[in-house]
Coordinates of all heavy atoms in Angstrom, one line a residue:
M1 N 117.9 118.6 77.5 CA 116.9 119.0 78.5 C 116.8 117.9 79.5 O 116.6 116.7 79.2 CB 115.6 119.3 77.8 CG 114.5 119.7 78.8 SD 113.1 120.3 77.8 CE 111.8 119.4 78.6
R2 N 116.9 118.2 80.8 CA 116.7 117.3 81.8 C 115.2 117.2 82.3 O 114.6 118.2 82.4 CB 117.6 117.6 83.0 CG 119.1 117.4 82.7 CD 119.9 117.6 83.8 NE 119.6 116.7 84.9 CZ 120.2 116.6 86.0 NH1 121.3 117.3 86.2 NH2 119.8 115.7 86.9
T3 N 114.8 116.0 82.6 CA 113.5 115.8 83.2 C 113.6 115.5 84.6 O 114.4 114.7 85.0 CB 112.7 114.7 82.5 OG1 112.8 114.9 81.1 CG2 111.3 114.5 82.9
R4 N 112.8 116.2 85.4 CA 112.8 116.0 86.9 C 112.3 114.6 87.1 O 111.2 114.3 86.6 CB 112.0 117.1 87.5 CG 112.0 116.9 89.0 CD 111.2 117.9 89.7 NE 112.2 118.7 90.4 CZ 111.9 119.8 91.1 NH1 110.8 120.3 91.0 NH2 112.9 120.4 91.8
Q5 N 113.0 113.8 87.9 CA 112.5 112.5 88.3 C 111.6 112.5 89.5 O 111.9 113.1 90.5 CB 113.7 111.6 88.6 CG 114.6 111.3 87.4 CD 113.9 110.5 86.3 OE1 113.6 109.5 86.6 NE2 113.8 111.1 85.1
T6 N 110.4 112.0 89.4 CA 109.5 111.8 90.5 C 109.2 110.3 90.7 O 109.5 109.6 89.7 CB 108.2 112.6 90.2 OG1 107.5 111.9 89.1 CG2 108.4 114.0 89.8
P7 N 108.7 109.9 91.8 CA 108.4 108.5 91.9 C 107.5 108.0 90.8 O 107.6 106.9 90.3 CB 107.6 108.5 93.3 CG 108.2 109.6 94.0 CD 108.4 110.7 93.0
A8 N 106.6 108.9 90.3 CA 105.6 108.4 89.2 C 106.4 108.1 87.9 O 106.0 107.2 87.2 CB 104.6 109.5 89.0
N9 N 107.4 108.9 87.6 CA 108.0 108.7 86.3 C 109.3 107.9 86.4 O 110.0 107.6 85.4 CB 108.2 110.0 85.5 CG 109.2 110.9 86.1 OD1 109.9 110.5 87.1 ND2 109.2 112.1 85.7
T10 N 109.7 107.4 87.6 CA 110.8 106.6 87.7 C 110.4 105.1 87.8 O 111.2 104.2 87.6 CB 111.7 106.9 89.0 OG1 110.9 106.9 90.1 CG2 112.4 108.2 88.8
R11 N 109.1 104.9 88.2 CA 108.6 103.5 88.3 C 108.4 102.9 86.9 O 107.8 103.5 86.1 CB 107.3 103.5 89.1 CG 107.3 102.4 90.1 CD 106.1 102.5 91.0 NE 105.0 101.9 90.4 CZ 103.7 102.2 90.7 NH1 103.5 103.0 91.6 NH2 102.7 101.5 90.1
K12 N 109.0 101.7 86.7 CA 108.8 101.1 85.4 C 107.4 100.6 85.3 O 106.8 100.0 86.2 CB 109.8 99.9 85.3 CG 111.2 100.4 85.1 CD 112.1 99.2 85.0 CE 113.5 99.6 84.8 NZ 114.5 98.5 84.9
P13 N 106.8 100.6 84.1 CA 105.4 100.0 83.9 C 105.6 98.5 84.0 O 106.6 97.9 83.7 CB 105.0 100.4 82.5 CG 106.3 100.8 81.8 CD 107.3 101.2 82.9
P14 N 104.4 97.8 84.4 CA 104.5 96.4 84.5 C 104.8 95.7 83.2 O 104.5 96.2 82.2 CB 103.1 96.0 85.0 CG 102.5 97.2 85.5 CD 103.2 98.4 84.8
S15 N 105.6 94.7 83.2 CA 105.9 94.0 82.0 C 105.6 92.4 82.2 O 105.8 91.9 83.3 CB 107.3 94.2 81.6 OG 108.2 93.1 81.8
W16 N 105.2 91.8 81.1 CA 104.8 90.4 81.2 C 105.9 89.5 81.8 O 105.8 88.8 82.8 CB 104.5 89.8 79.8 CG 103.2 90.3 79.3 CD1 103.1 91.3 78.4 CD2 101.9 89.9 79.7 NE1 101.7 91.5 78.1 CE2 101.0 90.6 78.9 CE3 101.4 88.9 80.5 CZ2 99.6 90.4 79.0 CZ3 100.0 88.7 80.5 CH2 99.2 89.5 79.8
D17 N 107.1 89.6 81.1 CA 108.1 88.7 81.5 C 108.7 89.0 82.9 O 109.2 88.1 83.6 CB 109.2 88.6 80.4 CG 109.7 90.0 80.0 OD1 109.1 91.0 80.3 OD2 110.7 90.1 79.3
R18 N 108.8 90.3 83.2 CA 109.4 90.6 84.5 C 108.4 90.5 85.7 O 108.8 90.1 86.7 CB 109.9 92.1 84.4 CG 110.7 92.5 85.6 CD 111.1 94.0 85.5 NE 109.9 94.8 85.6 CZ 109.7 95.8 84.7 NH1 110.5 96.1 83.7 NH2 108.6 96.5 84.9
D19 N 107.1 90.8 85.4 CA 106.2 90.8 86.6 C 105.1 89.8 86.7 O 104.4 89.7 87.7 CB 105.6 92.2 86.6 CG 106.6 93.3 86.7 OD1 107.5 93.1 87.5 OD2 106.4 94.4 86.1
A20 N 104.9 89.0 85.6 CA 103.8 88.0 85.7 C 104.1 87.0 86.9 O 105.1 86.4 86.9 CB 103.8 87.2 84.4
A21 N 103.1 87.0 87.8 CA 103.3 86.1 89.0 C 103.5 84.7 88.6 O 104.2 83.9 89.2 CB 102.1 86.3 89.9
C22 N 102.8 84.2 87.6 CA 102.8 82.8 87.2 C 104.2 82.4 86.6 O 104.6 81.3 86.6 CB 101.7 82.5 86.2 SG 101.7 83.4 84.7
A23 N 104.9 83.4 86.1 CA 106.2 83.1 85.5 C 107.2 82.8 86.6 O 108.3 82.3 86.2 CB 106.7 84.4 84.6
R24 N 106.9 83.1 87.8 CA 107.9 82.9 88.9 C 107.6 81.7 89.7 O 108.2 81.4 90.7 CB 108.0 84.1 89.8 CG 108.5 85.4 89.2 CD 108.8 86.4 90.2 NE 107.6 86.9 90.9 CZ 106.8 87.8 90.5 NH1 107.1 88.5 89.4 NH2 105.7 88.1 91.2
L25 N 106.5 80.9 89.3 CA 106.1 79.8 90.0 C 107.2 78.6 89.9 O 107.6 78.4 88.8 CB 104.8 79.2 89.6 CG 103.5 80.1 89.9 CD1 102.3 79.6 89.1 CD2 103.3 80.2 91.4
T26 N 107.4 77.9 90.9 CA 108.3 76.8 90.8 C 107.6 75.6 90.1 O 108.2 74.8 89.5 CB 108.9 76.3 92.2 OG1 107.8 76.2 93.1 CG2 109.9 77.4 92.7
D27 N 106.3 75.6 90.3 CA 105.5 74.6 89.7 C 104.4 75.2 88.8 O 103.3 75.5 89.3 CB 104.9 73.7 90.8 CG 104.0 72.6 90.2 OD1 104.0 72.4 88.9 OD2 103.3 71.9 90.9
P28 N 104.6 75.5 87.6 CA 103.6 76.1 86.7 C 102.3 75.3 86.5 O 101.3 75.9 86.1 CB 104.4 76.3 85.3 CG 105.8 76.0 85.6 CD 105.9 75.2 86.9
E29 N 102.4 74.1 86.9 CA 101.2 73.2 86.7 C 100.1 73.7 87.7 O 98.9 73.4 87.5 CB 101.5 71.8 87.0 CG 102.3 71.1 85.9 CD 101.5 71.1 84.6 OE1 100.3 70.7 84.6 OE2 102.1 71.5 83.6
I30 N 100.4 74.5 88.7 CA 99.4 75.1 89.6 C 98.3 75.9 88.7 O 97.2 75.9 89.1 CB 100.1 76.1 90.6 CG1 100.9 75.3 91.6 CG2 99.1 77.0 91.2 CD1 101.8 76.2 92.5
M31 N 98.7 76.4 87.6 CA 97.8 77.2 86.8 C 96.9 76.3 85.9 O 96.1 76.8 85.2 CB 98.6 78.2 85.9 CG 99.5 79.1 86.6 SD 98.7 80.0 88.0 CE 97.6 81.1 87.2
F32 N 97.1 75.0 86.0 CA 96.2 74.0 85.3 C 95.6 73.0 86.3 O 96.0 71.9 86.4 CB 97.1 73.3 84.2 CG 97.7 74.2 83.2 CD1 98.9 74.7 83.4 CD2 96.9 74.6 82.1 CE1 99.5 75.6 82.5 CE2 97.5 75.5 81.2 CZ 98.8 76.0 81.4
P33 N 94.6 73.6 87.1 CA 94.1 72.8 88.2 C 93.0 71.8 87.9 O 92.6 71.1 88.8 CB 93.5 74.0 89.1 CG 93.1 75.0 88.1 CD 94.1 74.9 87.0
G34 N 92.6 71.7 86.7 CA 91.5 70.7 86.4 C 90.2 71.2 87.0 O 90.0 72.5 87.0
N35 N 89.4 70.3 87.6 CA 88.2 70.7 88.1 C 88.1 70.7 89.7 O 87.1 70.8 90.3 CB 87.1 69.8 87.6 CG 86.9 70.0 86.1 OD1 86.9 71.1 85.6 ND2 86.6 68.9 85.4
E36 N 89.3 70.6 90.3 CA 89.4 70.6 91.8 C 89.2 72.0 92.3 O 90.1 72.9 92.1 CB 90.7 69.9 92.1 CG 91.1 70.1 93.6 CD 90.1 69.6 94.6 OE1 89.6 68.5 94.3 OE2 90.0 70.2 95.6
P37 N 88.2 72.2 93.1 CA 87.9 73.6 93.6 C 89.0 74.2 94.4 O 89.3 75.4 94.2 CB 86.6 73.4 94.5 CG 86.0 72.2 94.0 CD 87.1 71.3 93.5
Q38 N 89.7 73.4 95.3 CA 90.8 74.0 96.0 C 92.0 74.4 95.1 O 92.6 75.4 95.3 CB 91.2 73.1 97.1 CG 90.3 73.1 98.3 CD 90.8 72.2 99.5 OE1 91.2 71.1 99.3 NE2 90.9 72.8 100.7
A39 N 92.2 73.6 94.2 CA 93.3 73.8 93.2 C 93.0 75.0 92.4 O 93.9 75.9 92.1 CB 93.6 72.6 92.3
I40 N 91.7 75.2 92.0 CA 91.3 76.3 91.2 C 91.5 77.6 92.1 O 92.0 78.6 91.6 CB 89.8 76.2 90.7 CG1 89.8 75.1 89.7 CG2 89.3 77.5 90.2 CD1 88.3 74.7 89.3
A41 N 91.1 77.5 93.3 CA 91.3 78.7 94.2 C 92.8 79.1 94.4 O 93.1 80.2 94.4 CB 90.7 78.4 95.6
A42 N 93.6 78.1 94.4 CA 95.1 78.4 94.6 C 95.6 79.1 93.3 O 96.4 80.0 93.4 CB 95.8 77.0 94.8
A43 N 95.1 78.6 92.2 CA 95.6 79.3 90.9 C 95.0 80.7 90.9 O 95.7 81.7 90.4 CB 95.1 78.5 89.7
R44 N 93.7 80.9 91.3 CA 93.1 82.3 91.3 C 93.9 83.2 92.2 O 94.1 84.4 91.9 CB 91.7 82.2 91.7 CG 90.7 81.6 90.7 CD 89.3 81.9 91.3 NE 88.3 81.0 90.8 CZ 87.6 81.1 89.6 NH1 87.9 82.2 88.8 NH2 86.7 80.3 89.3
E45 N 94.4 82.6 93.3 CA 95.2 83.4 94.2 C 96.5 83.9 93.6 O 96.9 85.1 93.9 CB 95.5 82.6 95.5 CG 95.6 83.4 96.7 CD 95.7 82.5 98.0 OE1 94.6 81.8 98.2 OE2 96.6 82.5 98.7
V46 N 97.1 83.1 92.8 CA 98.3 83.6 92.1 C 98.0 84.8 91.3 O 98.7 85.8 91.3 CB 98.9 82.5 91.2 CG1 100.1 83.0 90.4 CG2 99.4 81.3 92.1
C47 N 96.9 84.7 90.5 CA 96.5 85.8 89.6 C 96.1 87.1 90.4 O 96.3 88.2 90.0 CB 95.3 85.4 88.7 SG 95.8 84.1 87.5
A48 N 95.5 86.8 91.6 CA 95.0 88.0 92.4 C 96.1 88.9 92.8 O 95.9 90.1 92.9 CB 94.2 87.5 93.6
G49 N 97.3 88.3 92.9 CA 98.4 89.2 93.3 C 99.3 89.6 92.2 O 100.4 90.1 92.4
C50 N 98.8 89.4 91.0 CA 99.7 89.7 89.8 C 99.5 91.1 89.3 O 98.4 91.5 89.0 CB 99.3 88.7 88.7 SG 100.2 88.9 87.2
P51 N 100.6 91.8 89.1 CA 100.5 93.2 88.7 C 100.1 93.4 87.2 O 99.9 94.5 86.8 CB 101.9 93.7 89.0 CG 102.8 92.6 89.0 CD 102.0 91.4 89.4
V52 N 100.1 92.3 86.5 CA 99.8 92.5 85.0 C 98.5 91.8 84.7 O 98.2 91.5 83.5 CB 100.9 91.9 84.1 CG1 102.2 92.8 84.2 CG2 101.2 90.5 84.4
Q53 N 97.6 91.6 85.7 CA 96.4 90.9 85.5 C 95.5 91.6 84.4 O 94.9 90.8 83.6 CB 95.6 90.7 86.8 CG 94.4 89.8 86.7 CD 93.7 89.6 87.9 OE1 93.8 90.3 88.9 NE2 92.8 88.6 88.0
R54 N 95.3 92.9 84.5 CA 94.5 93.5 83.5 C 95.0 93.3 82.1 O 94.2 93.0 81.2 CB 94.4 95.1 83.8 CG 93.5 95.3 85.0 CD 93.5 96.8 85.3 NE 92.8 97.6 84.3 CZ 91.5 97.9 84.3 NH1 90.8 97.6 85.3 NH2 91.0 98.6 83.3
A55 N 96.3 93.5 81.9 CA 96.8 93.3 80.6 C 96.7 91.8 80.2 O 96.4 91.5 79.0 CB 98.3 93.7 80.5
C56 N 96.9 90.9 81.1 CA 96.7 89.5 80.9 C 95.3 89.2 80.4 O 95.1 88.4 79.4 CB 97.1 88.7 82.1 SG 96.9 87.0 82.0
L57 N 94.3 89.7 81.1 CA 92.9 89.5 80.7 C 92.7 90.0 79.3 O 92.1 89.3 78.4 CB 92.0 90.1 81.7 CG 90.5 90.0 81.4 CD1 90.1 88.5 81.3 CD2 89.6 90.8 82.3
R58 N 93.1 91.2 79.0 CA 92.9 91.8 77.7 C 93.5 90.9 76.6 O 92.9 90.6 75.6 CB 93.5 93.2 77.6 CG 92.9 94.1 76.7 CD 93.5 95.5 76.8 NE 93.5 96.1 78.1 CZ 94.6 96.5 78.8 NH1 95.8 96.3 78.2 NH2 94.5 96.9 80.0
N59 N 94.7 90.5 76.9 CA 95.5 89.6 75.9 C 94.8 88.3 75.7 O 94.6 87.8 74.6 CB 96.9 89.4 76.4 CG 97.7 88.6 75.5 OD1 97.9 88.9 74.3 ND2 98.1 87.4 75.9
V60 N 94.4 87.6 76.8 CA 93.8 86.2 76.6 C 92.5 86.3 76.0 O 92.1 85.4 75.2 CB 93.8 85.5 78.0 CG1 92.7 86.0 78.9 CG2 93.7 84.0 77.7
I61 N 91.7 87.3 76.3 CA 90.3 87.4 75.6 C 90.5 87.6 74.1 O 89.8 87.0 73.3 CB 89.5 88.6 76.2 CG1 89.2 88.3 77.7 CG2 88.2 88.8 75.5 CD1 88.4 87.0 78.0
T62 N 91.4 88.4 73.7 CA 91.7 88.6 72.3 C 92.3 87.4 71.7 O 91.9 86.9 70.6 CB 92.7 89.8 72.1 OG1 92.1 90.9 72.8 CG2 92.9 90.1 70.7
S63 N 93.3 86.8 72.3 CA 94.0 85.6 71.7 C 93.2 84.4 71.6 O 93.3 83.6 70.7 CB 95.4 85.4 72.3 OG 95.2 85.0 73.7
E64 N 92.3 84.1 72.6 CA 91.5 82.9 72.6 C 90.3 83.1 71.7 O 89.8 82.1 71.2 CB 91.1 82.5 74.0 CG 92.1 81.9 74.8 CD 91.7 81.5 76.2 OE1 90.7 82.1 76.7 OE2 92.3 80.7 76.8
G65 N 89.9 84.3 71.5 CA 88.8 84.6 70.5 C 87.6 83.8 70.8 O 87.2 83.7 72.0
A66 N 87.0 83.2 69.8 CA 85.7 82.6 69.9 C 85.7 81.1 70.3 O 84.7 80.4 70.4 CB 84.9 82.7 68.6
R67 N 87.0 80.6 70.6 CA 87.1 79.3 71.1 C 86.1 78.9 72.2 O 86.0 79.8 73.1 CB 88.5 79.0 71.6 CG 89.3 78.0 70.8 CD 90.6 77.7 71.4 NE 91.5 78.9 71.1 CZ 92.7 79.1 71.8 NH1 93.1 78.3 72.7 NH2 93.4 80.1 71.4
R68 N 85.5 77.8 72.2 CA 84.5 77.5 73.2 C 85.2 77.2 74.5 O 86.4 76.9 74.5 CB 83.6 76.3 72.8 CG 82.8 76.5 71.6 CD 81.7 77.6 71.8 NE 80.7 77.0 72.7 CZ 79.5 77.5 72.9 NH1 79.2 78.6 72.3 NH2 78.7 77.0 73.7
G69 N 84.5 77.2 75.6 CA 85.0 77.0 77.0 C 85.9 75.8 77.1 O 87.0 75.9 77.7
G70 N 85.5 74.6 76.6 CA 86.3 73.4 76.7 C 87.6 73.5 76.1 O 88.5 72.7 76.4
A71 N 87.8 74.4 75.1 CA 89.1 74.5 74.4 C 90.0 75.5 75.0 O 91.1 75.8 74.5 CB 88.9 74.8 72.9
R72 N 89.6 76.0 76.2 CA 90.4 77.0 76.9 C 91.0 76.3 78.1 O 90.3 75.8 78.9 CB 89.6 78.2 77.2 CG 89.0 78.9 76.1 CD 87.9 79.8 76.5 NE 87.2 80.4 75.4 CZ 87.4 81.7 75.0 NH1 88.2 82.5 75.7 NH2 86.8 82.1 74.0
H73 N 92.3 76.4 78.2 CA 92.9 75.6 79.3 C 93.5 76.4 80.4 O 94.0 77.6 80.2 CB 94.0 74.7 78.8 CG 93.5 73.8 77.7 ND1 92.7 72.7 77.9 CD2 93.6 73.8 76.3 CE1 92.3 72.1 76.8 NE2 92.8 72.8 75.8
G74 N 93.4 76.0 81.6 CA 94.0 76.6 82.8 C 93.3 77.8 83.3 O 92.3 78.3 82.8
I75 N 93.9 78.4 84.4 CA 93.4 79.6 84.9 C 94.3 80.7 84.4 O 95.5 80.6 84.4 CB 93.5 79.6 86.5 CG1 92.7 78.5 87.1 CG2 93.2 81.0 87.1 CD1 91.1 78.6 86.9
V76 N 93.7 81.7 83.8 CA 94.4 82.8 83.2 C 93.6 84.1 83.6 O 92.4 84.2 83.5 CB 94.5 82.8 81.6 CG1 95.3 83.9 81.1 CG2 95.0 81.4 81.2
A77 N 94.4 85.0 84.1 CA 93.8 86.3 84.6 C 92.8 86.0 85.7 O 91.8 86.7 85.8 CB 93.2 87.1 83.4
G78 N 93.0 84.9 86.4 CA 92.0 84.6 87.5 C 90.8 84.0 87.1 O 89.9 83.7 87.9
L79 N 90.6 83.6 85.8 CA 89.4 83.1 85.3 C 89.6 81.7 84.7 O 90.6 81.4 84.1 CB 88.8 84.0 84.2 CG 88.5 85.4 84.6 CD1 88.1 86.2 83.4 CD2 87.5 85.5 85.7
T80 N 88.6 80.8 84.8 CA 88.6 79.5 84.2 C 88.3 79.7 82.7 O 87.9 80.8 82.2 CB 87.5 78.6 84.7 OG1 86.2 79.2 84.4 CG2 87.6 78.4 86.2
G81 N 88.5 78.7 81.9 CA 88.3 78.8 80.5 C 86.8 79.2 80.2 O 86.5 80.0 79.4
H82 N 85.9 78.6 80.9 CA 84.4 78.9 80.7 C 84.2 80.4 81.1 O 83.4 81.0 80.3 CB 83.6 77.9 81.6 CG 82.1 78.3 81.4 ND1 81.4 78.0 80.2 CD2 81.2 78.8 82.2 CE1 80.2 78.4 80.3 NE2 80.0 78.9 81.6
E83 N 84.8 80.8 82.2 CA 84.5 82.2 82.5 C 85.1 83.2 81.5 O 84.5 84.2 81.2 CB 85.2 82.5 83.9 CG 84.5 81.8 85.1 CD 85.3 81.8 86.3 OE1 86.5 81.9 86.3 OE2 84.6 81.5 87.4
R84 N 86.2 82.8 80.9 CA 86.9 83.7 79.9 C 85.9 83.7 78.6 O 85.8 84.7 78.0 CB 88.2 83.2 79.5 CG 89.2 83.3 80.7 CD 90.7 83.2 80.3 NE 91.0 81.9 79.6 CZ 91.3 80.8 80.3 NH1 91.3 80.8 81.6 NH2 91.7 79.7 79.6
W85 N 85.3 82.5 78.3 CA 84.5 82.5 77.2 C 83.2 83.4 77.5 O 82.8 84.1 76.6 CB 84.0 81.1 76.9 CG 83.1 81.0 75.7 CD1 83.5 81.1 74.4 CD2 81.7 80.9 75.7 NE1 82.4 81.0 73.6 CE2 81.3 80.9 74.4 CE3 80.7 80.8 76.8 CZ2 79.9 80.8 74.0 CZ3 79.4 80.7 76.4 CH2 79.0 80.7 75.0
L86 N 82.7 83.4 78.7 CA 81.6 84.2 79.0 C 81.9 85.7 78.9 O 81.2 86.6 78.4 CB 81.1 84.0 80.5 CG 80.4 82.6 80.7 CD1 80.1 82.4 82.2 CD2 79.2 82.4 79.8
V87 N 83.2 86.1 79.3 CA 83.6 87.5 79.2 C 83.7 87.8 77.7 O 83.2 88.9 77.2 CB 85.0 87.7 79.9 CG1 85.6 89.1 79.5 CG2 84.9 87.6 81.4
Y88 N 84.3 86.9 76.9 CA 84.4 87.1 75.5 C 83.1 87.3 74.9 O 82.8 88.3 74.1 CB 85.1 85.9 74.8 CG 85.1 86.0 73.3 CD1 86.1 86.8 72.6 CD2 84.1 85.4 72.5 CE1 86.0 86.9 71.3 CE2 84.1 85.5 71.2 CZ 85.1 86.3 70.5 OH 85.0 86.4 69.2
R89 N 82.1 86.5 75.1 CA 80.8 86.5 74.6 C 80.1 87.8 74.9 O 79.5 88.5 74.1 CB 79.9 85.3 75.0 CG 78.6 85.2 74.3 CD 77.9 84.1 74.8 NE 77.4 84.3 76.2 CZ 76.6 83.5 76.9 NH1 76.2 82.4 76.4 NH2 76.3 83.8 78.1
T90 N 80.2 88.2 76.2 CA 79.6 89.5 76.6 C 80.2 90.7 75.9 O 79.4 91.5 75.4 CB 79.8 89.7 78.2 OG1 79.2 88.6 78.8 CG2 79.2 91.0 78.7
L91 N 81.5 90.7 75.8 CA 82.1 91.9 75.1 C 81.8 91.9 73.6 O 81.6 92.9 73.1 CB 83.7 91.8 75.3 CG 84.2 92.0 76.7 CD1 85.7 91.9 76.8 CD2 83.7 93.4 77.3
K92 N 81.7 90.7 73.1 CA 81.3 90.6 71.6 C 79.9 91.1 71.4 O 79.7 91.9 70.5 CB 81.5 89.1 71.2 CG 81.4 88.9 69.7 CD 82.7 89.3 69.1 CE 82.7 89.0 67.6 NZ 83.8 89.5 66.9
R93 N 79.0 90.7 72.3 CA 77.6 91.1 72.1 C 77.5 92.6 72.3 O 76.6 93.2 71.7 CB 76.7 90.4 73.1 CG 76.5 89.0 72.7 CD 75.6 88.3 73.8 NE 75.3 86.9 73.3 CZ 74.7 86.0 74.1 NH1 74.4 86.3 75.3 NH2 74.4 84.8 73.6
R94 N 78.3 93.2 73.1 CA 78.3 94.6 73.4 C 79.0 95.4 72.3 O 79.0 96.6 72.3 CB 78.9 95.0 74.7 CG 78.1 94.6 75.9 CD 78.9 95.0 77.1 NE 78.3 94.5 78.3 CZ 78.8 94.5 79.6 NH1 80.1 94.9 79.7 NH2 78.2 94.1 80.6
G95 N 79.6 94.7 71.3 CA 80.4 95.3 70.3 C 81.7 95.9 70.7 O 82.2 96.8 70.1
Q96 N 82.2 95.4 71.9 CA 83.4 95.9 72.4 C 84.7 95.0 71.9 O 85.8 95.3 72.4 CB 83.4 95.9 73.9 CG 82.4 96.9 74.4 CD 82.1 96.9 75.9 OE1 82.0 95.8 76.5 NE2 82.1 98.0 76.5
L97 N 84.4 94.1 71.1 CA 85.5 93.3 70.5 C 85.3 93.3 69.0 O 84.1 93.3 68.5 CB 85.5 91.8 71.0 CG 86.0 91.6 72.4 CD1 85.8 90.1 72.7 CD2 87.4 92.0 72.5
R98 N 86.4 93.2 68.2 CA 86.2 93.1 66.8 C 86.1 91.6 66.4 O 86.5 90.7 67.0 CB 87.4 93.7 66.1 CG 87.4 95.2 66.2 CD 88.5 95.8 65.5 NE 88.7 97.1 66.2 CZ 89.9 97.7 66.4 NH1 91.0 97.0 66.0 NH2 90.0 98.8 67.0
Ligands
SF4_101 S1 97.1 87.3 85.7 FE1 97.5 85.2 86.3 S2 97.8 84.1 84.3 FE2 97.9 86.3 83.9 S3 100.2 86.8 84.0 FE3 99.3 87.1 86.0 S4 99.5 85.2 87.1 FE4 99.8 84.7 85.0

């Protein structure tokens, strides 16, 4: 049986290794900006244009778990370590994480 091809079913779903914007950086250290506001903004900008940002956020919140803010490094899914911890804590309190 042949399936009719439409733009919706010919487009490949986003994939980490193929589409992650940070994977294509010539300098991956951009994603580890320390506390410099302009460097943090530059890293956030990389994430803002990333097609796998939602999946990245879901993955990092789960994988980092209850680790405190200081033990979370770099900008991931557009968020600092402390911001990711706040997201984790909020979801946990709402019962939206196991
Ligand atoms: S959202 Fe940011 S950290 Fe996550 S894969 Fe994309 S560029 Fe990398």
Side-chain angles (χ1 to χ4, degrees):
M1 180 169 129
R2 290 183 61 174
T3 305
R4 178 178 250 177
Q5 295 293 299
T6 66
N9 66 13
T10 55
R11 224 170 85 202
K12 291 180 179 173
S15 110
W16 289 101
D17 50 345
R18 190 184 63 230
D19 297 324
C22 58
R24 293 191 301 270
L25 292 171
T26 51
D27 180 9
E29 288 301 310
I30 288 172
M31 303 311 289
F32 299 93
N35 294 321
E36 165 58 38
Q38 280 186 309
I40 291 171
R44 287 189 203 273
E45 208 167 299
V46 173
C47 295
C50 181
V52 295
Q53 187 178 16
R54 285 177 68 93
C56 176
L57 177 60
R58 207 174 308 119
N59 180 64
V60 76
I61 294 300
T62 304
S63 64
E64 288 181 332
R67 244 183 284 162
R68 298 292 292 192
R72 298 164 186 257
H73 304 286
I75 299 295
V76 183
L79 302 175
T80 64
H82 180 68
E83 291 165 340
R84 296 194 300 277
W85 182 77
L86 292 174
V87 170
Y88 172 84
R89 189 182 65 175
T90 300
L91 294 175
K92 191 78 176 170
R93 285 180 177 170
R94 290 181 183 165
Q96 294 174 312
L97 286 176
R98 289 182 205 142

